[in-house]
Amino acid sequence: MATSTLITIIVIVVVLIALGVGLWLMSRRRHLREQFGPEYDRTVEAEGGRMAAERELRAREQRHEKLDIKELPPARREQYANDWREVQERFVDRPADSVGEADELVTRLMRERGYPTDGYQHQLRDLSVDHGRTLEHYRAAHEVNVRSSGGQATTEELRGAMVHYRALFQELLSEEGGR
């Protein structure tokens, strides 16, 4: 075989391998973007680049795979729905207390579904795998709840927090199996 033929074959093989790796990386990035929604871009910014962010998001997926996320029985769903209605009804008379109760109710629902609830940042990471599109609601509600505990939130902000908590609450309540 001539040297030029061998070089041509090697170049073709290298180009095909590079193309395959490139397509694989694009496919993996697309999967992460679809899986995490807006959380993908937020993580890229927080981690300082795509490679670090994608490593972090894959680690979240691996941790999430080990969780035992379960569907709630209809009776428990109904009880949570009733609890939520009661929290909302109390908002008129006690808005700040209701936002705190909404946070507690969401956390309790997460725990019962099988999400670890040991710390807000961990909750965000664990929820991001299945709830990346709703996570901004949770962040916004939590921020108002923290400010409210110091008496620094307006009634309108508290109302907004309830709306934000409700978005995640409904998704957690209606979701089947978490996957």
Side-chain angles (χ1 to χ4, degrees):
M1 184 181 308
T3 304
S4 63
T5 305
L6 184 58
I7 291 174
T8 303
I9 291 172
I10 290 172
V11 167
I12 290 172
V13 167
V14 167
V15 166
L16 288 175
I17 289 173
L19 186 62
V21 168
L23 289 173
W24 177 74
L25 288 173
M26 284 176 36
S27 172
R28 190 167 68 169
R29 180 166 290 151
R30 186 174 347 115
H31 161 74
L32 291 172
R33 280 184 166 282
E34 289 172 3
Q35 177 77 29
F36 289 91
E39 188 66 13
Y40 178 90
D41 293 326
R42 177 183 266 282
T43 306
V44 168
E45 187 176 319
E47 295 291 324
R50 288 188 193 283
M51 296 296 280
E54 289 175 2
R55 234 184 344 268
E56 165 64 20
L57 295 173
R58 283 192 308 278
R60 291 181 193 185
E61 283 181 319
Q62 289 170 354
R63 175 179 158 92
H64 188 270
E65 284 298 316
K66 296 175 184 172
L67 300 177
D68 182 22
I69 307 299
K70 52 193 158 289
E71 181 178 349
L72 294 179
R76 289 300 296 148
R77 278 194 188 138
E78 186 59 35
Q79 181 59 54
Y80 274 107
N82 288 336
D83 292 348
W84 181 262
R85 280 190 288 281
E86 290 173 9
V87 168
Q88 284 187 138
E89 289 170 4
R90 286 191 292 271
F91 181 83
V92 173
D93 296 324
R94 299 180 0 239
D97 291 344
S98 293
V99 168
E101 291 171 13
D103 182 74
E104 291 170 10
L105 187 58
V106 166
T107 301
R108 200 168 69 224
L109 175 57
M110 287 170 49
R111 188 178 308 112
E112 189 167 341
R113 291 283 318 275
Y115 289 97
T117 55
D118 54 342
Y120 174 68
Q121 292 301 323
H122 288 316
Q123 289 175 346
L124 289 175
R125 284 193 289 279
D126 291 336
L127 285 170
S128 70
V129 177
D130 285 335
H131 305 282
R133 298 187 193 302
T134 316
L135 219 46
E136 277 309 306
H137 287 289
Y138 188 45
R139 280 190 178 96
H142 181 77
E143 188 269 328
V144 171
N145 187 35
V146 168
R147 286 191 303 107
S148 173
S149 65
Q152 299 176 343
T154 67
T155 303
E156 186 58 27
E157 289 171 323
L158 294 169
R159 185 200 63 74
M162 289 297 290
V163 170
H164 289 305
Y165 275 127
R166 182 176 55 221
L168 178 60
F169 179 83
Q170 288 176 335
E171 191 171 293
L172 284 167
L173 192 62
S174 65
E175 187 180 358
E176 298 192 5
R179 299 181 195 251

